[in-house]
PDB file of all heavy atoms in Angstrom:
ATOM      1  N   GLN A   3      39.135  51.463 -15.054  1.00 48.00           N
ATOM      2  CA  GLN A   3      37.922  50.868 -14.499  1.00 48.00           C
ATOM      3  C   GLN A   3      38.193  49.970 -13.321  1.00 48.00           C
ATOM      4  O   GLN A   3      39.219  49.251 -13.310  1.00 48.00           O
ATOM      5  CB  GLN A   3      37.143  50.106 -15.580  1.00 48.00           C
ATOM      6  CG  GLN A   3      36.572  51.031 -16.642  1.00 48.00           C
ATOM      7  CD  GLN A   3      35.730  50.142 -17.608  1.00 48.00           C
ATOM      8  OE1 GLN A   3      35.956  48.983 -17.796  1.00 48.00           O
ATOM      9  NE2 GLN A   3      34.654  50.748 -18.123  1.00 48.00           N
ATOM     10  N   LYS A   4      37.337  50.040 -12.263  1.00 50.00           N
ATOM     11  CA  LYS A   4      37.538  49.129 -11.201  1.00 50.00           C
ATOM     12  C   LYS A   4      37.099  47.728 -11.653  1.00 50.00           C
ATOM     13  O   LYS A   4      36.146  47.517 -12.232  1.00 50.00           O
ATOM     14  CB  LYS A   4      36.679  49.592  -9.976  1.00 50.00           C
ATOM     15  CG  LYS A   4      37.185  50.756  -9.218  1.00 50.00           C
ATOM     16  CD  LYS A   4      36.299  50.958  -8.058  1.00 50.00           C
ATOM     17  CE  LYS A   4      36.902  52.169  -7.204  1.00 50.00           C
ATOM     18  NZ  LYS A   4      36.098  52.353  -5.944  1.00 50.00           N
ATOM     19  N   ALA A   5      37.891  46.784 -11.082  1.00 49.00           N
ATOM     20  CA  ALA A   5      37.533  45.395 -11.367  1.00 49.00           C
ATOM     21  C   ALA A   5      36.285  44.991 -10.444  1.00 49.00           C
ATOM     22  O   ALA A   5      36.180  45.382  -9.359  1.00 49.00           O
ATOM     23  CB  ALA A   5      38.730  44.470 -10.912  1.00 49.00           C
ATOM     24  N   THR A   6      35.390  44.314 -11.152  1.00 51.00           N
ATOM     25  CA  THR A   6      34.216  43.910 -10.401  1.00 51.00           C
ATOM     26  C   THR A   6      34.194  42.379 -10.222  1.00 51.00           C
ATOM     27  O   THR A   6      34.598  41.649 -11.082  1.00 51.00           O
ATOM     28  CB  THR A   6      32.919  44.386 -11.206  1.00 51.00           C
ATOM     29  OG1 THR A   6      33.026  43.714 -12.454  1.00 51.00           O
ATOM     30  CG2 THR A   6      32.793  45.877 -11.327  1.00 51.00           C
ATOM     31  N   LYS A   7      33.709  41.978  -9.060  1.00 55.00           N
ATOM     32  CA  LYS A   7      33.725  40.518  -8.814  1.00 55.00           C
ATOM     33  C   LYS A   7      32.497  39.970  -9.462  1.00 55.00           C
ATOM     34  O   LYS A   7      31.395  40.615  -9.522  1.00 55.00           O
ATOM     35  CB  LYS A   7      33.716  40.213  -7.324  1.00 55.00           C
ATOM     36  CG  LYS A   7      32.544  40.672  -6.559  1.00 55.00           C
ATOM     37  CD  LYS A   7      32.712  40.299  -5.050  1.00 55.00           C
ATOM     38  CE  LYS A   7      31.466  40.761  -4.205  1.00 55.00           C
ATOM     39  NZ  LYS A   7      31.624  40.347  -2.817  1.00 55.00           N
ATOM     40  N   PRO A   8      32.540  38.754 -10.057  1.00 53.00           N
ATOM     41  CA  PRO A   8      31.344  38.139 -10.677  1.00 53.00           C
ATOM     42  C   PRO A   8      30.214  37.874  -9.726  1.00 53.00           C
ATOM     43  O   PRO A   8      30.387  37.637  -8.602  1.00 53.00           O
ATOM     44  CB  PRO A   8      31.917  36.779 -11.151  1.00 53.00           C
ATOM     45  CG  PRO A   8      33.121  36.449 -10.347  1.00 53.00           C
ATOM     46  CD  PRO A   8      33.677  37.828  -9.957  1.00 53.00           C
ATOM     47  N   VAL A   9      28.944  38.159 -10.183  1.00 54.00           N
ATOM     48  CA  VAL A   9      27.782  37.965  -9.457  1.00 54.00           C
ATOM     49  C   VAL A   9      27.267  36.587  -9.717  1.00 54.00           C
ATOM     50  O   VAL A   9      26.946  36.190 -10.884  1.00 54.00           O
ATOM     51  CB  VAL A   9      26.748  38.985  -9.697  1.00 54.00           C
ATOM     52  CG1 VAL A   9      25.462  38.741  -8.911  1.00 54.00           C
ATOM     53  CG2 VAL A   9      27.325  40.383  -9.365  1.00 54.00           C
ATOM     54  N   ILE A  10      27.141  35.701  -8.673  1.00 58.00           N
ATOM     55  CA  ILE A  10      26.606  34.425  -8.821  1.00 58.00           C
ATOM     56  C   ILE A  10      25.213  34.414  -8.239  1.00 58.00           C
ATOM     57  O   ILE A  10      25.039  34.414  -6.927  1.00 58.00           O
ATOM     58  CB  ILE A  10      27.488  33.401  -8.160  1.00 58.00           C
ATOM     59  CG1 ILE A  10      28.858  33.450  -8.768  1.00 58.00           C
ATOM     60  CG2 ILE A  10      26.985  31.985  -8.323  1.00 58.00           C
ATOM     61  CD1 ILE A  10      29.917  32.640  -8.113  1.00 58.00           C
ATOM     62  N   GLU A  11      24.188  34.444  -9.029  1.00 59.00           N
ATOM     63  CA  GLU A  11      22.813  34.655  -8.599  1.00 59.00           C
ATOM     64  C   GLU A  11      22.268  33.513  -7.756  1.00 59.00           C
ATOM     65  O   GLU A  11      21.657  33.667  -6.765  1.00 59.00           O
ATOM     66  CB  GLU A  11      21.874  35.082  -9.810  1.00 59.00           C
ATOM     67  CG  GLU A  11      22.338  36.300 -10.467  1.00 59.00           C
ATOM     68  CD  GLU A  11      21.206  36.877 -11.244  1.00 59.00           C
ATOM     69  OE1 GLU A  11      20.135  36.362 -11.266  1.00 59.00           O
ATOM     70  OE2 GLU A  11      21.494  37.964 -11.834  1.00 59.00           O
ATOM     71  N   LEU A 118      36.880  28.986  -8.753  1.00 82.00           N
ATOM     72  CA  LEU A 118      36.621  30.412  -8.980  1.00 82.00           C
ATOM     73  C   LEU A 118      35.474  30.600 -10.026  1.00 82.00           C
ATOM     74  O   LEU A 118      35.533  29.951 -11.070  1.00 82.00           O
ATOM     75  CB  LEU A 118      37.910  31.185  -9.390  1.00 82.00           C
ATOM     76  CG  LEU A 118      39.011  31.143  -8.397  1.00 82.00           C
ATOM     77  CD1 LEU A 118      40.238  31.942  -8.937  1.00 82.00           C
ATOM     78  CD2 LEU A 118      38.626  31.725  -7.055  1.00 82.00           C
ATOM     79  N   GLY A 119      34.576  31.484  -9.735  1.00 85.00           N
ATOM     80  CA  GLY A 119      33.531  31.793 -10.646  1.00 85.00           C
ATOM     81  C   GLY A 119      32.223  30.946 -10.425  1.00 85.00           C
ATOM     82  O   GLY A 119      31.226  31.266 -10.999  1.00 85.00           O
ATOM     83  N   LYS A 120      32.420  29.863  -9.639  1.00 89.00           N
ATOM     84  CA  LYS A 120      31.283  29.041  -9.323  1.00 89.00           C
ATOM     85  C   LYS A 120      30.684  29.304  -8.016  1.00 89.00           C
ATOM     86  O   LYS A 120      29.466  28.895  -7.770  1.00 89.00           O
ATOM     87  CB  LYS A 120      31.700  27.476  -9.427  1.00 89.00           C
ATOM     88  CG  LYS A 120      31.998  27.129 -10.902  1.00 89.00           C
ATOM     89  CD  LYS A 120      32.306  25.588 -10.930  1.00 89.00           C
ATOM     90  CE  LYS A 120      32.686  25.153 -12.337  1.00 89.00           C
ATOM     91  NZ  LYS A 120      33.031  23.711 -12.373  1.00 89.00           N
ATOM     92  N   LEU A 121      31.437  29.687  -7.016  1.00 90.00           N
ATOM     93  CA  LEU A 121      30.973  29.957  -5.684  1.00 90.00           C
ATOM     94  C   LEU A 121      31.134  31.435  -5.372  1.00 90.00           C
ATOM     95  O   LEU A 121      32.241  32.006  -5.657  1.00 90.00           O
ATOM     96  CB  LEU A 121      31.733  29.137  -4.757  1.00 90.00           C
ATOM     97  CG  LEU A 121      31.515  27.575  -4.754  1.00 90.00           C
ATOM     98  CD1 LEU A 121      32.437  26.911  -3.825  1.00 90.00           C
ATOM     99  CD2 LEU A 121      30.053  27.327  -4.352  1.00 90.00           C
ATOM    100  N   PRO A 122      30.300  32.067  -4.664  1.00 90.00           N
ATOM    101  CA  PRO A 122      30.408  33.418  -4.190  1.00 90.00           C
ATOM    102  C   PRO A 122      31.448  33.514  -3.151  1.00 90.00           C
ATOM    103  O   PRO A 122      31.637  32.513  -2.392  1.00 90.00           O
ATOM    104  CB  PRO A 122      29.021  33.834  -3.762  1.00 90.00           C
ATOM    105  CG  PRO A 122      28.314  32.571  -3.425  1.00 90.00           C
ATOM    106  CD  PRO A 122      28.876  31.533  -4.411  1.00 90.00           C
ATOM    107  N   ILE A 123      32.060  34.646  -3.067  1.00 91.00           N
ATOM    108  CA  ILE A 123      33.063  34.881  -1.983  1.00 91.00           C
ATOM    109  C   ILE A 123      32.569  34.652  -0.594  1.00 91.00           C
ATOM    110  O   ILE A 123      33.311  34.131   0.285  1.00 91.00           O
ATOM    111  CB  ILE A 123      33.754  36.291  -2.077  1.00 91.00           C
ATOM    112  CG1 ILE A 123      35.016  36.398  -1.274  1.00 91.00           C
ATOM    113  CG2 ILE A 123      32.660  37.308  -1.756  1.00 91.00           C
ATOM    114  CD1 ILE A 123      36.164  35.571  -1.768  1.00 91.00           C
ATOM    115  N   GLU A 124      31.247  34.905  -0.378  1.00 93.00           N
ATOM    116  CA  GLU A 124      30.702  34.693   0.908  1.00 93.00           C
ATOM    117  C   GLU A 124      30.679  33.342   1.340  1.00 93.00           C
ATOM    118  O   GLU A 124      30.894  32.973   2.514  1.00 93.00           O
ATOM    119  CB  GLU A 124      29.226  35.245   0.935  1.00 93.00           C
ATOM    120  CG  GLU A 124      29.218  36.789   0.831  1.00 93.00           C
ATOM    121  CD  GLU A 124      29.332  37.305  -0.612  1.00 93.00           C
ATOM    122  OE1 GLU A 124      29.296  36.482  -1.507  1.00 93.00           O
ATOM    123  OE2 GLU A 124      29.432  38.519  -0.860  1.00 93.00           O
ATOM    124  N   THR A 125      30.434  32.377   0.338  1.00 93.00           N
ATOM    125  CA  THR A 125      30.459  31.020   0.694  1.00 93.00           C
ATOM    126  C   THR A 125      31.789  30.556   1.155  1.00 93.00           C
ATOM    127  O   THR A 125      31.972  29.790   2.130  1.00 93.00           O
ATOM    128  CB  THR A 125      30.073  30.157  -0.554  1.00 93.00           C
ATOM    129  OG1 THR A 125      28.687  30.498  -0.891  1.00 93.00           O
ATOM    130  CG2 THR A 125      30.146  28.679  -0.333  1.00 93.00           C
ATOM    131  N   VAL A 126      32.916  30.970   0.520  1.00 93.00           N
ATOM    132  CA  VAL A 126      34.244  30.559   0.773  1.00 93.00           C
ATOM    133  C   VAL A 126      34.567  31.232   2.156  1.00 93.00           C
ATOM    134  O   VAL A 126      35.201  30.456   3.003  1.00 93.00           O
ATOM    135  CB  VAL A 126      35.231  31.136  -0.309  1.00 93.00           C
ATOM    136  CG1 VAL A 126      36.684  30.711   0.096  1.00 93.00           C
ATOM    137  CG2 VAL A 126      34.940  30.631  -1.677  1.00 93.00           C
ATOM    138  N   ARG A 127      34.201  32.373   2.486  1.00 95.00           N
ATOM    139  CA  ARG A 127      34.439  32.994   3.784  1.00 95.00           C
ATOM    140  C   ARG A 127      33.701  32.130   4.861  1.00 95.00           C
ATOM    141  O   ARG A 127      34.326  31.959   5.915  1.00 95.00           O
ATOM    142  CB  ARG A 127      33.848  34.336   3.872  1.00 95.00           C
ATOM    143  CG  ARG A 127      34.731  35.368   3.107  1.00 95.00           C
ATOM    144  CD  ARG A 127      33.991  36.785   3.124  1.00 95.00           C
ATOM    145  NE  ARG A 127      34.815  37.767   2.482  1.00 95.00           N
ATOM    146  CZ  ARG A 127      34.292  38.935   2.072  1.00 95.00           C
ATOM    147  NH1 ARG A 127      32.997  39.209   2.251  1.00 95.00           N
ATOM    148  NH2 ARG A 127      34.999  39.796   1.478  1.00 95.00           N
TER     149      ARG A 127
END
Side-chain angles (χ1 to χ4, degrees):
Q3 289 186 332
K4 283 186 177 181
T6 58
K7 65 180 182 181
V9 176
I10 301 171
E11 300 199 359
L118 298 180
K120 293 183 180 180
L121 290 173
I123 191 69
E124 293 78 12
T125 297
V126 182
R127 285 176 180 161

